[in-house]
Amino acid sequence: MLTVTQPRQHSKRNLLYLLAGQIGWPLIWGMAAWVGFYTLVRQGVISSPLIDNYLAGHPVEYIETAMFFVGLAALGIKLVDVLYQHATLHRIDLPQVDDESQRATDSSQLIEKLDALPTRLGQSYLGRRLHEALTYIQRKGSADELDEQVRYLSDLDAGRQQDGYALPRLIIWAIPILGFLGTVIGITLAITNLSPEQLAAREGVDALTQNLGVAFNTTATALALSMVLMFASFLIERIETELLANVEERTNE
């Protein structure tokens, strides 16, 4: 019974950890930042006509800003993790052993050494890759075809890197669509709320123009926010790519 339930419990923990890291914490920190930002705006601590027009002039803009903060939180958490792994690469090390005296059975001792690392180090790219490579040797009983296994693990980490930006990519894709939707809704309401008599009068034209301006602001806001997230995502992804290159080098050593 133990051999059946333990893997299931382990997979459940991994799933919960993945959901918390990918969605949970970005949602919590992003919404906290969103509430704090608009609290400062409402209290007059942050005051600007641009904020009033583009971030607090339409209900859709509030939703766009909330999604922006969630995406920014996801990228911020990713950046902290990547920088931490960069700074702690030297802390993950294995004892140097002469190739002639090293046996496949020594992998168990090396795995125990990796298991003794703090959880965050053990779950890092380097810690996980070394652990999986040594587990492969332990399971097979030799280091034959280890180079191919290491390349396979490298491909898995590249896939994990891409998966780590799934939420920011989704938000970057969704914000402009939400902005266009706000514009369409604003145009529809601006036209339907005016009678033909109002449209014929000067005041009606001015009101229509003002309402259309507010409607188009949602699209302008969406495009600006998505561009910020795109550039931030690009920079963090480049830093993580450099991290993977360093992990590859350390693994080969």
Side-chain angles (χ1 to χ4, degrees):
M1 293 294 292
L2 278 175
T3 57
V4 175
T5 57
Q6 283 181 345
R8 289 181 179 177
Q9 292 176 354
H10 182 67
S11 62
K12 289 180 180 178
R13 287 197 300 269
N14 288 340
L15 179 60
L16 292 175
Y17 179 81
L18 177 64
L19 290 176
Q22 294 289 334
I23 301 175
W25 287 117
L27 185 62
I28 292 173
W29 286 109
M31 293 307 297
W34 178 75
V35 171
F37 173 75
Y38 279 107
T39 299
L40 295 177
V41 171
R42 293 304 179 187
Q43 292 180 351
V45 178
I46 301 177
S47 179
S48 173
L50 291 177
I51 293 177
D52 295 336
N53 292 333
Y54 291 98
L55 298 180
H58 194 280
V60 173
E61 293 173 356
Y62 286 92
I63 302 175
E64 291 173 349
T65 309
M67 296 179 66
F68 169 77
F69 277 116
V70 172
L72 198 63
L75 292 175
I77 293 172
K78 188 72 172 177
L79 177 61
V80 170
D81 179 63
V82 170
L83 294 179
Y84 173 82
Q85 292 195 48
H86 264 295
T88 56
L89 279 177
H90 65 283
R91 295 179 56 185
I92 304 176
D93 200 8
L94 295 175
Q96 298 294 327
V97 182
D98 186 17
D99 292 338
E100 296 180 357
S101 62
Q102 194 172 28
R103 298 169 297 178
T105 54
D106 296 334
S107 59
S108 299
Q109 299 177 357
L110 299 178
I111 291 175
E112 292 177 358
K113 182 177 177 64
L114 291 175
D115 289 337
L117 293 173
T119 303
R120 191 170 184 181
L121 287 178
Q123 291 297 322
S124 64
Y125 281 123
L126 180 59
R128 185 171 51 236
R129 189 177 301 187
L130 291 177
H131 193 285
E132 291 175 352
L134 289 170
T135 301
Y136 170 82
I137 296 174
Q138 184 186 50
R139 182 176 64 252
K140 192 172 182 179
S142 70
D144 296 339
E145 301 178 357
L146 180 59
D147 290 340
E148 294 183 5
Q149 179 67 14
V150 171
R151 285 194 293 269
Y152 169 72
L153 296 177
S154 177
D155 293 337
L156 286 181
D157 284 339
R160 292 189 183 102
Q161 178 193 14
Q162 295 300 316
D163 293 341
Y165 295 90
L167 180 60
R169 289 196 190 98
L170 176 63
I171 293 176
I172 291 172
W173 169 82
I175 288 180
I177 294 179
L178 186 61
F180 293 139
L181 179 61
T183 297
V184 172
I185 294 174
I187 293 174
T188 302
L189 293 177
I191 295 176
T192 55
N193 288 336
L194 291 177
S195 63
E197 293 77 11
Q198 289 176 321
L199 288 174
R202 178 65 183 178
E203 294 77 6
V205 176
D206 293 339
L208 177 62
T209 304
Q210 183 179 2
N211 291 331
L212 290 178
V214 174
F216 282 109
N217 285 347
T218 61
T219 298
T221 300
L223 295 177
L225 295 180
S226 61
M227 285 180 62
V228 173
L229 292 178
M230 286 177 62
F231 280 112
S233 178
F234 171 79
L235 292 175
I236 297 172
E237 194 169 354
R238 297 283 76 76
I239 297 174
E240 188 170 8
T241 300
E242 182 64 24
L243 170 65
L244 289 176
N246 293 337
V247 169
E248 189 79 21
E249 182 179 352
R250 288 297 310 278
T251 303
N252 293 332
E253 291 177 0

